[in-house]
Amino acid sequence: MRKTLLGAISPEEFLREYWQKKPLLIRQAWTDFPEIIDYARLAQLAERDDVQSRLIEYKNEQWRLESGPFTPSRLKRLGETDWTILVQSVNHLIPHISELLYRFNFLPYTRLDDLMISYAPPGGTVGPHYDSYDVFLLQVGGKKRWQISSDDASGFIEDAPIRVLKDFNPEQEWILEHGDMLYLPPQYAHYGVALEPGMTYSIGFRAPKTQEIAVKFLEYLQDEICLDGMYADPDATVTTVPARIDAQFTDRISQMLQNIQWDDERVKDFIGRYFTEPPPHVFFDQTEDLLDFDDFAAAVATSGVMLDLKSQMLYSDDALFINGEVLECHADALGALQELANNRQLGAGVYTEELLETLFTYYEYGYITLKPIQ
C-alpha cells in the first residue's frame, strides 16, 4: 500500500513545489477503499438531523439550494441529471473515511479540516467557483470533468444561493476517473461536472481569516487575563468643557490597555483550545454500558484505545488539548498521550496507573473509545 496519496511525489516535494502554489493532478492516487460510500449510503446520512448536508440543483438557468436533513420522499423526487448532494464531515461518522482523512498527516492537524462527500448524476455540478482554502478532490466511481483557471476576478453571480462565478475561462481540463485526485490551492477557480454517476471526496484544509482569529483570541483573553488596578486621576483640574474627551484621559486609558499582553505560551494555549473546539453541531455520546475502571484497564490491555472519530487532540511542549479543553495528566503519561494525539490510537498494552486514569476519564466523556479487537 502506498504510504501517501501523492503518487510518485514525496510529501517534501509536494509542499515545496505545489502546496499553495499550483494545482497538481495525481492519477490513481487512491483506490484501496474497504467500502465505497455510494449514493444510497450518502442519502441515509443526508437524512440525519445530526449531519450537515446540502442539495444543489441547476434548472432553467437557475441555481437552487436546500439544506438537510432531507426526507426520503424528497430525495426520491430527484431527477436523473443536474443535481448534487453534499454531506459534510463524513470522517466523523465512518471509520475508514476518518482513516483516509488522516492519511494527509504530512500536514499538521491544525490545518486539516474535514472530508466532505458529494454525489452527482450526469450533469451534476455546483458551478464554477473558488475556495479560500486548499482542497484535494478525489474521484470515487464514475467520471467527472474538471476545468480550472487561475483567473477568479469576475466576481460571483448576484442573488445566487451559492457562490458561482459570473465568468469562467478555463485554462486546463481533465477527466477524473475512479481513484484520480486533483489538488487545488486557495483562490484557484474550478468547475466540475459529472459525466457519469459518482462521488467526489473533498479533503479540505482549515484556513481561518485573520479577523476570525483576532476576535476569538480577544474572547479568549477576556476569560484568561486579570489586570490589577483601576482608573485614577489625583491631579485632576477644573474643566470648562466637561463633555470633551481630553488628551490626558485618553492617554491614561491607553496606558491601562497597554497592560493587555501575551506571549507565545499564551498563544499556544489559545491555539490548543480553539483548534480542537468541536463545531456547534457536534456532540459526544457516552456509551450506555460504560465499563468500570478495572474492566476498562483490562480491555485496554487487550485491544488499546482510539480517539472518537469526532475528537480533535493537539499538544504543545508540555500541554495537551482535546475538544477545546486542556487535558490534565500526570507527567509520566505525557509521552503516551502525545502518541495518542499523533496516531489517534494507542495499541494494546499494560499501561501505568496514571495513564489509565487519564484515559478512563476521557473514555467516560466519550472522547476516546476502545479499539475493536482484531
Side-chain angles (χ1 to χ4, degrees):
M1 184 183 296
R2 189 178 289 151
K3 290 184 178 180
T4 72
L5 301 96
L6 301 173
I9 296 176
S10 69
E12 291 80 10
E13 182 181 354
F14 170 75
L15 294 177
R16 183 176 63 252
E17 301 293 333
Y18 295 94
W19 178 252
Q20 300 207 324
K21 302 174 186 69
K22 59 184 179 181
L24 174 65
L25 174 66
I26 308 162
R27 294 293 186 187
Q28 295 300 282
W30 191 257
T31 57
D32 188 21
F33 299 95
E35 174 194 2
I36 300 298
I37 307 301
D38 59 9
Y39 172 66
R41 184 76 183 278
L42 200 64
Q44 290 177 345
L45 298 178
E47 293 167 9
R48 292 172 47 167
D49 58 9
D50 62 340
V51 173
Q52 292 182 315
S53 57
R54 291 169 290 159
L55 173 65
I56 295 174
E57 296 180 277
Y58 186 61
K59 293 182 177 180
N60 302 317
E61 299 186 351
Q62 294 290 323
W63 293 98
R64 294 182 57 190
L65 169 67
E66 296 178 49
S67 297
F70 298 97
T71 62
S73 61
R74 173 66 186 97
L75 299 181
K76 287 179 181 178
R77 296 199 308 271
L78 293 172
E80 296 182 358
T81 61
D82 302 326
W83 55 268
T84 302
I85 192 164
L86 309 97
V87 178
Q88 294 286 155
S89 301
V90 182
N91 53 291
H92 288 173
L93 308 168
I94 300 174
H96 82 265
I97 296 297
S98 178
E99 291 174 11
L100 176 59
L101 174 67
Y102 287 104
R103 286 186 178 276
F104 291 83
N105 61 0
F106 51 86
L107 285 155
Y109 291 158
T110 49
R111 293 286 272 115
L112 200 55
D113 193 1
D114 77 335
L115 193 154
M116 178 185 74
I117 297 181
S118 63
Y119 171 88
T125 179
V126 298
H129 66 285
Y130 64 84
D131 299 312
S132 58
Y133 51 83
D134 303 85
V135 64
F136 288 87
L137 303 166
L138 176 63
Q139 186 68 23
V140 182
K143 295 181 181 180
K144 180 175 280 191
R145 182 186 69 238
W146 283 102
Q147 297 173 314
I148 66 172
S149 174
S150 58
D151 179 12
D152 59 9
S154 67
F156 296 105
I157 297 173
E158 296 178 3
D159 301 324
I162 60 174
R163 287 158 43 104
V164 179
L165 291 169
K166 294 179 182 177
D167 297 303
F168 178 71
N169 301 303
E171 298 170 349
Q172 293 177 280
E173 176 178 316
W174 302 283
I175 305 297
L176 268 64
E177 301 186 13
H178 178 68
D180 295 341
M181 185 167 69
L182 176 63
Y183 162 73
L184 294 171
Q187 311 296 322
Y188 223 97
H190 49 287
Y191 182 23
V193 180
L195 305 179
E196 298 176 354
M199 282 72 61
T200 298
Y201 288 18
S202 301
I203 295 90
F205 287 78
R206 192 171 184 178
K209 294 181 179 179
T210 303
Q211 177 70 15
E212 176 188 342
I213 289 294
V215 169
K216 294 298 183 181
F217 185 62
L218 291 174
E219 291 176 359
Y220 161 85
L221 287 179
Q222 177 179 303
D223 296 328
E224 294 297 319
I225 65 172
C226 181
L227 303 178
D228 295 327
M230 60 184 297
Y231 183 85
D233 52 359
D235 55 349
T237 59
V238 173
T239 181
T240 58
V241 284
R244 182 174 182 270
I245 300 174
D246 63 75
Q248 187 178 54
F249 185 83
T250 300
D251 182 60
R252 284 188 170 131
I253 295 297
S254 178
Q255 290 180 23
M256 294 172 74
L257 293 175
Q258 288 175 20
N259 290 322
I260 303 173
Q261 298 179 359
W262 57 86
D263 55 20
D264 286 350
E265 290 306 309
R266 193 172 290 280
V267 173
K268 286 180 183 178
D269 186 68
F270 163 72
I271 290 171
R273 295 172 188 264
Y274 178 63
F275 281 85
T276 62
E277 182 72 33
H281 68 279
V282 169
F283 297 93
F284 291 88
D285 300 321
Q286 292 185 342
T287 305
E288 293 182 1
D289 51 348
L290 283 174
L291 302 177
D292 63 24
F293 180 81
D294 291 338
D295 289 340
F296 173 78
V300 171
T302 302
S303 63
V305 297
M306 58 190 290
L307 291 177
D308 182 86
L309 297 184
K310 295 174 286 189
S311 282
Q312 296 294 330
M313 188 173 178
L314 298 172
Y315 64 87
S316 58
D317 293 337
D318 55 1
L320 293 133
F321 308 90
I322 186 167
N323 298 333
E325 305 172 9
V326 176
L327 190 154
E328 303 291 346
C329 71
H330 192 277
D332 292 343
L334 190 62
L337 290 169
Q338 290 176 345
E339 180 184 344
L340 173 62
N342 282 322
N343 300 328
R344 297 188 60 82
Q345 61 179 320
L346 284 176
V350 178
Y351 293 108
T352 65
E353 190 82 4
E354 292 81 7
L355 176 59
L356 285 170
E357 287 176 355
T358 300
L359 294 175
F360 185 68
T361 295
Y362 292 97
Y363 162 73
E364 290 183 309
Y365 291 171
Y367 292 177
I368 69 170
T369 63
L370 292 165
K371 288 179 62 180
I373 298 176
Q374 301 297 322

